[in-house]
Amino acid sequence: MEQFHDFLAWAWPRHLNPLSWYIRPLFFLPIAYFCWTRRPAALALTIAALLTSFFWFPEPEEIDPAMAGVLEMEERLFADPTWVTWVSLAMIPVLLGSLCAAFWYRSLGWGLVVINGGLALKIGWTVANSGTDGLATLLPLGSGMVIMTAAVVWTARRRGLPLSLTGGRPGGHGSGPRAETAAR
């Protein structure tokens, strides 16, 4: 257990590096791609990378006080967990599972709902739990939302894919004459 605490003492300050905050939402793109292409091994590796990305970068020389405030709030929640902590932690696999399901079943519309809704909830949760310091998440998570939405919309338009909430590829599984006949 002491080794785990030593690891956290080493890793936690690296989470203050702004690159860590900006890169994490961008993992949703390869997760979406590997679900869409149904490549579970690549998906598992990407999720492992996402879960470890908070300590990839060096400890920053200068620390943004608002980011430090957010991490202090998170540290307090983990040091003395309440129901808020447990519900919040449970939302992580729910978000990842929903993201994977949306793209696995080829619904770009639901994928956008999950991406944008999940990141908006994270921003709201952070502001609710850390006050104005939580606004430090607005730029990294908001940028991630814009980049991912643009990438999904661009890909959909380029490939002629629907941005509906029903899923399916034109001419692929879940659409076409056989699917229409089965639905009748």
Side-chain angles (χ1 to χ4, degrees), residues 2-14:
E2 187 176 325
Q3 288 176 329
F4 179 70
H5 288 291
D6 290 344
F7 171 74
L8 284 180
W10 171 83
W12 196 258
R14 284 155 176 70

Side-chain angles (χ1 to χ4, degrees), residues 62-85:
E62 290 183 35
I63 298 172
D64 178 342
M67 287 183 171
V70 169
L71 289 187
E72 285 173 16
M73 174 273 300
E74 288 181 355
E75 198 168 29
R76 281 192 309 273
L77 285 177
F78 289 122
D80 187 22
T82 64
W83 68 271
V84 172
T85 309

Side-chain angles (χ1 to χ4, degrees), residues 31 71 82 96 158 167:
I31 288 171
L71 289 187
T82 64
L96 282 173
R158 186 168 178 258

Side-chain angles (χ1 to χ4, degrees), residues 102-119:
F103 285 98
W104 193 274
Y105 292 105
R106 302 208 162 101
S107 175
L108 295 177
W110 277 115
L112 288 174
V113 167
V114 172
I115 288 168
N116 292 309
L119 291 175

Side-chain angles (χ1 to χ4, degrees), residues 38-73:
R38 304 218 170 119
R39 295 171 52 194
L43 174 63
L45 287 173
T46 304
I47 290 173
L50 168 67
L51 296 174
T52 62
S53 65
F54 77 96
F55 60 82
W56 287 1
F57 302 100
E59 188 174 343
E61 292 181 22
E62 290 183 35
I63 298 172
D64 178 342
M67 287 183 171
V70 169
L71 289 187
E72 285 173 16
M73 174 273 300

Side-chain angles (χ1 to χ4, degrees), residues 7-27:
F7 171 74
L8 284 180
W10 171 83
W12 196 258
R14 284 155 176 70
H15 189 33
L16 283 167
N17 190 314
L19 290 174
S20 170
W21 290 39
Y22 281 91
I23 194 136
R24 200 163 305 105
L26 298 180
F27 275 102

